[in-house]
Amino acid sequence: LGGVAGQLVAIASGALLGWGLCRTVALPPPHAIGASVSPRVALLAATLFLAGLAWALWPGPAGATLRGIAAAHYQAGALVFGGGHVVLPLLDAQLVGSGWISAERFLAGYGLAQAVPGPMFTLASYLGASIDTGHSPVSGSLVATLCVFLPGFLVLVAALPLWGVLKRDPRLAAAMAGIGAAVVGLMLAVLYRPLWTMGVTDPRDVVTVLVGLVLCGFLRRPVLAVLPWCIATTWLWSVL
């Protein structure tokens, strides 16, 4: 399985395995979240989330449209659990797979999102602006950014009234531990595809990756200090 189905199966399997196998999971200390939501507001948020997901999954007009951008990014924001990098295969399948954006431009956007502070989901702003829908790039960027962040906020509001109870349940804690392990596996899968398969296409690219890994991982150089090396070597490989 791939795409949405594969990720959901992996996460659900992790939850079941965690619930069945994890016996000694440390529960977080009780503390106030600092925000309260009434059950009515939580129910409204859950309803809006599910309605938006149903709309996003409903087939729309063919071709690159603002509706298509909104649906693709809402699906990605709603169905991703864990680190923001897990969103990449979903957006890759929706946008690159549909021919709305090239693999090169998609990967360039990922690189830009990694180079600047902020959440991984800011990649949506670049993607929305890069897809030709016949409207202004600003419109596409705003639609993509809103739709990729909106599901998470709706789920947060919907879950707040129950969170105090749920986080103290040892069975839920075990399931969450299993989900966490599954997400780590998904992150490793993302490292290979689409990142490695799209970005490392030549043995010389491996040199760039390895030196960048040494600079960041072992010498603790900041990303902005490593970027000039990566840019310079990429340009050098292109002219040799």
Side-chain angles (χ1 to χ4, degrees), residues 174-186:
M176 292 296 292
I179 289 175
V183 169
V184 172
L186 289 174

Side-chain angles (χ1 to χ4, degrees), residues 31-37 160 163 167:
H31 64 277
I33 295 178
S36 61
V37 172
L160 273 177
W163 183 244
K167 70 179 182 179

Side-chain angles (χ1 to χ4, degrees), residues 203-213 229-231 233-234 237:
R204 294 174 297 185
D205 294 333
V206 178
V207 176
T208 302
V209 171
L210 290 178
V211 174
L213 179 62
W229 155 260
C230 297
I231 294 172
T233 53
T234 302
W237 303 147

